[in-house]
Amino acid sequence: MKKKVLALLLASAMVASLAACGGTSTDNGGSTDSGNSGSTTTSTDGGNTTTTEAEPYVLEDLYITVDGTVTANVDNRQDAFVEQWEAAVSERIGHPIKLHINQPEHSGYSDKVSQLLTTGQPGDGSYPDALIMSATMFRQYQSTGILWNLADAYANAEFQSRITLPSINENMKTSSGELYGFAPTYGNGCVTYVKQSWLDAAGLKIDDIKTYDDYYNMLKAFSNGKTTGVIAAGFGKLDEAPYINYMPEFWQGAYPSFYQKDGTWVDGFQEQATIDALDRLATAYKDGLIDKDTEEATTKIAREKFFSNDQTTSEGVFTYWAGTWLRTLTDNMEKQEVDSELGDDRLVQLPPIKEIKDTWGGYINREAPVWVITDDGDGDDSREQAIFDALLDTMLDGDKVQTLWTYGAEDVHWSTKAEEFVTNPDDPEKKKEYKYEDGQFHLRPTPNDPNSIWKKNHLDAVLVIAPLTNGFVDSDPLVEKGNKFFTENCVDAPQAAASDTLTEVNSDIVSDKTKLMNEVVTGKKTGADAIAEYQAKWGDTAQTILDELNAQ
Amino acid sequence: MSKKVLATEDGTVIRHKPLGTRIWNHRGYYIMFLPVLIYVLIIYYWPMLGVRYSFYDYTLKKIEFVGFKHFQSMFFGKDSSDFWRSFFNTLQLSIMKLIITTATSVIVSVFINEMGNLLAKKALQTVIYLPHFMSWTVTAAIFTLFLSASSTGMINETLKEWGLITESIDFLHEPALWRPVFYLVNIWKETGWGTVIFLATLSGINPELYEAADIDGATRMQKIWYVTVPALANTVLIVLILNLAKVLNMFESVFVMYNTRVLDVSDVISTYVYRKTFLSAIPNYGYTTAVGLFKSLVGCMLVLVCNWASKKVRGRGII
């Protein structure tokens, strides 16, 4: 009998634990209504309707999840950034607020975000109140109900009067006018960099490279012995829009994913343009013009091989991000003592070749990464509005907070105080002295690398949609040159696709497409065979996705 | 409640007090055991409740009961080709790896055992143990660098220098070459560690057997074949049986070495689950839990088979 009682007790405990495990908490944790935004609740009592103003929401703790684009990371004095942000925003919103930053490793960011959003609840400390999403991630999440529609908050934001690029966010609105993400900058894109010394050695001029044939001949001239023409992080980056931006000269007018063509969604991977692009890549690979490490290289590996101090196994061409990265690549070549005599002229930017101009029109300007606010689903917008007010509205205040997001912490990453410092003091050839007057805005040495100068924090001063009003501008002629070149030679990327079926099968499709692409480029099959194989396995699914997209 | 009376075969009568009384009488022991019980329940059994999600669609905040949908998709539906590919790859890679590394460990153990110079013997043992302590990430990075098909790949460039090849061999991307390379890397990394148990067995062989063989005029090879190898046979069998239970637990070694071009020959269950879970923007945890549950069930069956085999071979089980 006692055994039965014991068994019953154990079974009850099991049932109770199952029930507890399946339950969901609706507790919002420490955050309650916002000081900036009250909420109104209406109740009906015995036929009499009474309207009461709810207690204002006080956002005391703000939890954000960010990727590697916030360069003021823990190794680079994020503590100073957080401290100054808290002081500036507390003053602005009228009550103390604490900022908690969760910065997962950049390459695994989307996996981490997916885990956080699946397992957490608003207010539990690890669940983000707001976070950064790439355009691809954003499109997939925007219809899940997990993101807050910030259209009204955006329309009423303080920064509206200073926006110079309103179309970026307006274009992100759904057909019914909802806006689930906020882009503080435009997207930027990649341009093709060529080493001037390699051009000189081959007797070529950048202005003479106008067509794909010219480009191909340049790569041939660069490929000699162990050197190769070009390297990239993958022949195509099929898991990240805009997919073709690391090897645009080969992809030309192809777009190996779902995109809108003349108002109708199509599967670009099945188009003839993709078959042609794959065959072009295969020919160049066979001719030894594409570095064989390209297939598996990460962006870090590709970059480091390009500016390696062993130029005998390097490459002459590298397509990478425009603007600030022109400076970063040049500085890294300087560090590795590559073409030092050429100074800031060691890299030249290749204008889009004719085949790119005739199809896309220029280099691709990717869809901007966005900030999103998570919706706690309680039907009350006070929490979400408070997050918008504290985080996003202040992010583009034109002054203190925007400077924090643009350049980092004052007197840590930048300063206006008179000071002198020296980089590479122990190396006579690289030693450089800096001297600034009182009141002169300048960037300071990078906290974790005092031999290089800090470049920027999260926002790029040139790409931002509402410029700083305090006149703090880091005027690096090389960066300006890079940005000018890109803006003059870019076109907007197609909008990323999002549908239920695509979300469900996307990782499998990307995996298969990448496999097929690599097999074609390395000569295992032809482009036509690869696309036929893709159609046999994914043709029906692709059609379902297209039907869903075209029905939206 | 009366005492329970049990009679043994020889007629001895054992009187058991009621369970409650016995627990009360030994309450001190039960109280001491309680923290361990709670720890085991929370750490080992509580997470197992998550297996129920294999019967649910679980994406972001949406949890919906779907019955056997995921199992149907896994075995017969749209995911079946990838799932079965990973399942059979797991079995093939694990079992081949087990056989090859065990065989090389035995051979190396015998050679080490035959070495007369104690200093050289100890030095060799130390050198071949070292790779075991290297992480799989570092191991993969080293071999990727050595085997790269680009101009920085040491093996290819050396073979070219010697005139043995004209075109680089893409060791890590050719489906036909990936498995042999995988087995070789495993041999390099795990052979040394695998010799520990065999060397212990060899040191326990009665020297009189070798002396008797000497008197009979046996050559060195004959002594190895007729004395050493038979003495090792039982240990080899036990090692194989014990490791067979773990064959499905293969992840890190494959994960750091595989790539999209060799998925057909390299994708194992754990890497398949990883991709389905972490490379999807919005993963369905229900499906991946179902795959995990299936893997656990097969693993459980393998443990039972090994337990049975162990009882047969050495007279006692492994659990």
Side-chain angles (χ1 to χ4, degrees):
Chain A
M1 182 61 192
K2 286 193 176 178
K3 276 185 182 172
K4 284 179 184 171
V5 172
L6 202 61
L8 198 65
L9 278 172
L10 282 170
S12 310
M14 187 70 87
V15 170
S17 59
L18 271 169
C21 210
T24 52
S25 166
T26 51
D27 183 16
N28 272 356
S31 305
T32 45
D33 288 274
S34 132
N36 300 346
S37 45
S39 69
T40 307
T41 51
T42 306
S43 62
T44 307
D45 179 20
N48 299 323
T49 301
T50 56
T51 302
T52 55
E53 283 291 323
E55 285 294 308
Y57 194 99
V58 179
L59 185 72
E60 292 166 345
D61 290 278
L62 176 62
Y63 295 91
I64 62 172
T65 299
V66 300
D67 60 16
T69 59
V70 176
T71 50
N73 54 31
V74 286
D75 296 328
N76 276 310
R77 297 296 315 275
Q78 193 174 82
D79 57 333
F81 166 78
V82 169
E83 189 185 330
Q84 292 185 21
W85 184 95
E86 287 174 354
V89 174
S90 297
E91 184 187 333
R92 192 178 155 92
I93 63 177
H95 63 79
I97 182 166
K98 286 191 76 65
L99 178 65
H100 307 268
I101 300 179
N102 176 12
Q103 189 165 23
E105 206 262 314
H106 189 74
S107 61
Y109 183 72
S110 64
D111 323 341
K112 188 69 185 172
V113 164
S114 146
Q115 288 173 53
L116 289 174
L117 294 178
T118 303
T119 54
Q121 293 292 332
D124 68 9
S126 62
Y127 193 84
D129 291 323
L131 66 152
I132 298 172
M133 282 188 176
S134 69
T136 312
M137 281 171 77
F138 168 62
R139 295 288 177 199
Q140 288 173 324
Y141 277 93
Q142 78 169 355
S143 58
T144 59
I146 213 163
L147 306 183
W148 182 56
N149 172 17
L150 49 81
D152 290 341
Y154 170 74
N156 298 321
E158 187 273 335
F159 57 68
Q160 275 293 344
S161 58
R162 286 179 289 104
I163 288 184
T164 54
L165 286 166
S167 61
I168 305 285
N169 285 292
E170 290 299 330
N171 290 346
M172 290 197 308
K173 287 183 177 173
T174 64
S175 53
S176 48
E178 291 155 338
L179 180 66
Y180 293 97
F182 166 68
T185 62
Y186 71 85
N188 201 13
C190 293
V191 297
T192 297
Y193 298 110
V194 184
K195 285 173 184 161
Q196 182 62 57
S197 61
W198 290 44
L199 282 170
D200 294 342
L204 296 168
K205 286 193 169 61
I206 197 74
D207 294 337
D208 296 336
I209 314 299
K210 294 182 184 305
T211 65
Y212 179 69
D213 287 342
D214 297 337
Y215 175 80
Y216 201 82
N217 289 329
M218 176 178 72
L219 298 185
K220 266 187 178 172
F222 288 172
S223 303
N224 185 14
K226 291 183 178 179
T227 61
T228 41
V230 59
I231 190 168
F235 304 121
K237 190 131 180 65
L238 302 187
D239 59 343
E240 186 182 307
Y243 316 109
I244 57 171
N245 57 342
Y246 287 149
M247 285 207 153
E249 288 80 11
F250 294 100
W251 287 98
Q252 297 176 10
Y255 200 75
S257 186
F258 298 95
Y259 74 107
Q260 259 180 322
K261 192 179 185 180
D262 304 326
T264 308
W265 286 93
V266 295
D267 182 2
F269 197 72
Q270 299 187 46
E271 292 185 321
Q272 185 60 40
T274 295
I275 297 175
D276 296 341
L278 291 176
D279 288 340
R280 271 192 295 273
L281 283 160
T283 308
Y285 186 88
K286 189 176 161 220
D287 290 348
L289 312 186
I290 298 176
D291 191 302
K292 289 191 162 59
D293 281 341
T294 296
E295 184 173 353
E296 292 296 318
T298 59
T299 50
K300 185 173 183 287
I301 288 172
R303 281 195 312 256
E304 288 178 354
K305 206 166 175 196
F306 181 68
F307 55 66
S308 156
N309 59 5
D310 180 10
Q311 289 288 295
T312 60
T313 56
S314 189
E315 310 77 20
V317 179
F318 183 48
T319 303
Y320 210 58
W321 298 99
T324 309
W325 270 102
L326 175 56
R327 163 56 67 200
T328 308
L329 290 173
T330 303
D331 285 355
N332 277 303
M333 287 175 79
E334 173 64 26
K335 267 188 199 168
Q336 301 295 327
E337 297 177 352
V338 178
D339 303 336
S340 297
E341 68 283 359
L342 292 172
D344 281 355
D345 296 326
R346 71 192 85 193
L347 289 177
V348 284
Q349 302 174 95
L350 176 69
I353 57 171
K354 181 179 180 297
E355 288 79 357
I356 295 177
K357 279 185 184 161
D358 289 348
T359 49
W360 289 112
Y363 290 120
I364 304 286
N365 176 30
R366 68 168 175 173
E367 284 189 282
V370 296
W371 279 89
V372 298
I373 293 172
T374 55
D375 193 338
D376 61 8
D378 65 357
D380 180 353
D381 289 344
S382 320
R383 166 187 165 272
E384 291 80 7
Q385 181 67 52
I387 294 166
F388 184 91
D389 293 341
L391 181 70
L392 303 184
D393 209 0
T394 61
M395 189 180 281
L396 296 186
D397 69 350
D399 196 10
K400 264 188 189 173
V401 185
Q402 187 167 341
T403 307
L404 279 164
W405 286 108
T406 308
Y407 295 117
E410 185 174 5
D411 295 332
V412 176
H413 301 105
W414 60 273
S415 182
T416 54
K417 290 179 182 153
E419 66 175 329
E420 294 176 29
F421 52 82
V422 181
T423 54
N424 295 297
D426 303 326
D427 185 341
E429 285 184 14
K430 293 182 182 173
K431 185 176 171 183
K432 198 170 175 184
E433 292 174 0
Y434 298 82
K435 187 176 179 184
Y436 298 98
E437 314 261 315
D438 194 32
Q440 187 181 2
F441 173 81
H442 61 274
L443 297 174
R444 304 190 72 247
T446 303
N448 73 346
D449 179 13
N451 286 327
S452 70
I453 300 299
W454 181 254
K455 291 183 179 64
K456 71 177 186 70
N457 190 13
H458 174 57
L459 302 179
D460 192 318
V462 180
L463 308 180
V464 76
I465 60 166
L468 280 164
T469 55
N470 56 14
F472 290 172
V473 179
D474 170 45
S475 54
D476 180 339
L478 193 63
V479 175
E480 283 175 15
K481 182 180 156 190
N483 283 319
K484 184 169 179 286
F485 178 86
F486 181 70
T487 47
E488 285 172 358
N489 291 287
C490 77
V491 291
D492 286 341
Q495 184 188 331
S499 83
D500 289 346
T501 307
L502 181 59
T503 300
E504 191 183 332
V505 300
N506 193 44
S507 68
D508 292 334
I509 287 189
V510 166
S511 175
D512 279 353
K513 284 199 297 194
T514 305
K515 176 173 174 277
L516 292 168
M517 173 184 71
N518 291 342
E519 284 175 346
V520 174
V521 179
T522 54
K524 305 298 169 209
K525 54 182 62 149
T526 65
D529 288 346
I531 303 307
E533 198 175 308
Y534 169 79
Q535 284 168 335
K537 183 171 180 183
W538 291 108
D540 293 344
T541 312
Q543 191 52 53
T544 307
I545 292 166
L546 290 174
D547 291 344
E548 288 174 2
L549 290 168
N550 284 314
Q552 285 171 1
Chain B
M1 196 174 282
S2 61
K3 287 180 182 175
K4 213 175 260 180
V5 179
L6 295 171
T8 59
E9 282 178 2
D10 62 358
T12 313
V13 173
I14 300 168
R15 289 175 189 279
H16 269 311
K17 288 178 183 171
L19 179 67
T21 311
R22 276 183 282 148
I23 289 175
W24 178 250
N25 288 344
H26 299 100
R27 59 189 175 278
Y29 297 118
Y30 280 99
I31 289 168
M32 280 194 284
F33 172 64
L34 200 58
V36 178
L37 178 69
I38 292 168
Y39 175 83
V40 167
L41 286 176
I42 292 174
I43 302 297
Y44 294 102
Y45 289 92
W46 181 267
M48 284 188 198
L49 298 175
V51 298
R52 72 188 186 280
Y53 289 124
S54 55
F55 302 100
Y56 288 79
D57 260 344
Y58 186 170
T59 52
L60 286 177
K61 299 282 177 262
K62 192 186 84 177
I63 304 175
E64 257 173 26
F65 183 76
V66 293
F68 287 94
K69 176 187 148 188
H70 297 312
F71 293 95
Q72 195 276 335
S73 171
M74 186 164 77
F75 295 136
F76 315 109
K78 64 181 170 59
D79 293 304
S80 61
S81 63
D82 287 353
F83 168 75
W84 287 117
R85 177 184 70 184
S86 65
F87 179 71
F88 289 117
N89 278 340
T90 310
L91 291 180
Q92 189 167 349
L93 286 173
S94 298
I95 292 169
M96 280 302 289
K97 186 185 107 173
L98 178 60
I99 292 169
I100 291 171
T101 51
T102 307
T104 49
S105 295
V106 169
I107 293 165
V108 172
S109 303
V110 172
F111 284 159
I112 290 174
N113 192 51
E114 291 296 314
M115 285 176 78
N117 185 328
L118 193 65
L119 189 67
K121 188 176 176 177
K122 293 286 177 196
L124 180 65
Q125 274 180 274
T126 308
V127 167
I128 62 171
Y129 285 170
L130 283 179
H132 172 77
F133 299 102
M134 204 176 270
S135 79
W136 268 110
T137 314
V138 175
T139 305
I142 291 170
F143 277 90
T144 304
L145 207 62
F146 280 4
L147 299 171
S148 168
S150 79
S151 55
T152 50
M154 195 186 80
I155 302 286
N156 272 307
E157 289 305 305
T158 307
L159 292 175
K160 278 186 196 168
E161 288 287 327
W162 291 348
L164 296 175
I165 56 169
T166 51
E167 285 292 314
S168 292
I169 302 166
D170 208 347
F171 292 103
L172 293 169
H173 294 93
E174 285 290 342
L177 294 177
W178 189 87
R179 278 184 182 166
V181 169
F182 177 76
Y183 297 138
L184 277 173
V185 175
N186 273 278
I187 288 170
W188 177 81
K189 193 173 185 309
E190 299 302 340
T191 295
W193 191 247
T195 60
V196 172
I197 197 164
F198 298 121
L199 284 170
T201 306
L202 290 174
S203 66
I205 297 175
N206 189 347
E208 289 175 1
L209 292 173
Y210 290 107
E211 287 165 14
D214 283 336
I215 292 165
D216 289 345
T219 62
R220 195 166 202 176
M221 284 308 291
Q222 284 172 323
K223 279 192 284 183
I224 290 173
W225 188 248
Y226 293 109
V227 179
T228 310
V229 171
L232 274 178
N234 207 23
T235 308
V236 171
L237 205 57
I238 290 167
V239 167
L240 282 174
I241 289 169
L242 292 178
N243 284 320
L244 196 63
K246 300 186 288 187
V247 295
L248 293 183
N249 297 335
M250 176 178 255
F251 175 69
E252 203 182 354
S253 56
V254 173
F255 182 70
V256 293
M257 287 184 68
Y258 84 152
N259 54 73
T260 52
R261 237 191 316 147
V262 294
L263 275 183
D264 288 344
V265 295
S266 64
D267 195 19
V268 293
I269 291 183
S270 302
T271 52
Y272 172 66
V273 169
Y274 175 86
R275 279 204 321 282
K276 293 291 277 187
T277 309
F278 297 113
L279 298 188
S280 302
I282 304 176
N284 188 336
Y285 290 95
Y287 177 74
T288 50
T289 306
V291 178
L293 180 60
F294 175 76
K295 183 188 152 199
S296 301
L297 289 175
V298 175
C300 199
M301 282 192 289
L302 279 171
V303 170
L304 293 176
V305 168
C306 292
N307 188 46
W308 171 82
S310 176
K311 278 181 184 169
K312 287 276 177 195
V313 173
R314 57 177 190 164
R316 59 193 166 93
I318 56 171
I319 48 175

